[in-house]
Amino acid sequence: MDVNERLRAALLRAGISCAQLADAAGVDAKTVERWISTGRTPHRTTAHKAARSLGEDMAYLWPSLGEGKRGRGLHPELIALHATRADAPLDMWRALFTQARERIEILVYAGIFLHEQWPGFAETLGHKAGAGCRVRILLGDPDAPPVTERGVEEKYGHGIETRCRVALMHYGPLIGMPGVEVRQHATTLCNSIYRGDDQMLVNAHVFGMNAFGAPVWHLRRESDGGVFDRYAESFEAVWALSHRAVKE
């Protein structure tokens, strides 16, 4: 059975442990863990208690209990929406990359917040590649006009170009490693994309605002041609226009 990513994301967002949710719902912690790990659906009364304690819609967490109704009108591929990147918990980012088995893809200008908050991030990517996971990273070219323009738009000056160079420094040890490809691009970045297999975090970009203050969409691929695939196609389009990164 599938993992219930919506429930796991709701727990992280609410800052509630499995044990705490179990107390609120009147079940034991192992039952809550099974709701997450096996996708098991609880009894309606229990589900209602759990959803209420998380501040979520029951039909959103367990669509089968919605009797065919769309929970809050949300798209089935949307697991969670975080108002800002700063609101998205680090555990969510860790889970995205550490649980990936087949592919990891990153499209950013710099995205060095991952290295700042997770000192072993680059090493983790190296280990994933060594285990057979394909890792592709797209960084902004600090000499590209769109990068300079973004700095002006965000009133960030030349800070973005500098962060692009710092990002390349962080990823430098991975360049040339089997299973890892690091490239640079000169495109206008509409969204930063972070993918781990069939899950994706999309950091939307808002004119005049730094990425940390913009929303993050947590998506899970459900079918061909969906929202997830549109962002995946965007990654491929930028990849086709990129060039290999060289260690500085």
Side-chain angles (χ1 to χ4, degrees), residues 106-127:
I106 298 172
L107 167 60
V108 292
Y109 271 161
I112 63 174
F113 73 97
L114 285 169
H115 302 277
E116 293 171 341
Q117 298 181 37
W118 185 356
F121 179 58
E123 289 81 358
T124 296
L125 296 184
H127 290 317

Side-chain angles (χ1 to χ4, degrees), residues 137-169:
I137 300 162
L138 280 165
L139 304 175
D141 183 339
D143 298 318
V147 174
T148 301
E149 291 169 7
R150 180 59 58 85
V152 173
E153 292 168 0
E154 296 180 2
K155 299 179 177 61
Y156 204 59
H158 296 289
I160 291 184
E161 294 104 300
T162 299
R163 289 175 77 82
C164 287
R165 291 189 169 90
V166 172
L168 183 58
M169 177 190 71

Side-chain angles (χ1 to χ4, degrees), residues 189-205:
L189 192 62
C190 300
N191 300 280
S192 294
I193 296 173
Y194 307 84
R195 177 178 182 177
D197 291 342
D198 284 345
Q199 292 200 52
M200 181 184 290
L201 298 173
V202 179
N203 189 185
H205 289 287

Side-chain angles (χ1 to χ4, degrees), residues 174-185:
L174 300 178
I175 295 177
M177 180 180 293
V180 180
E181 297 173 86
V182 182
R183 301 178 72 92
Q184 291 177 300
H185 67 97

Side-chain angles (χ1 to χ4, degrees), residues 13 28 110 194:
R13 186 165 56 250
D28 60 62
Y194 307 84

Side-chain angles (χ1 to χ4, degrees), residues 9 27 35 41 58 69 80 83 89 97 130 151 172 176 198 211 220-222 234:
V27 298
W35 292 348
T41 300
M58 179 182 70
K69 297 179 181 179
F97 296 114
D198 284 345
R220 178 175 178 175
R221 189 175 189 275
E222 294 289 340
S234 174

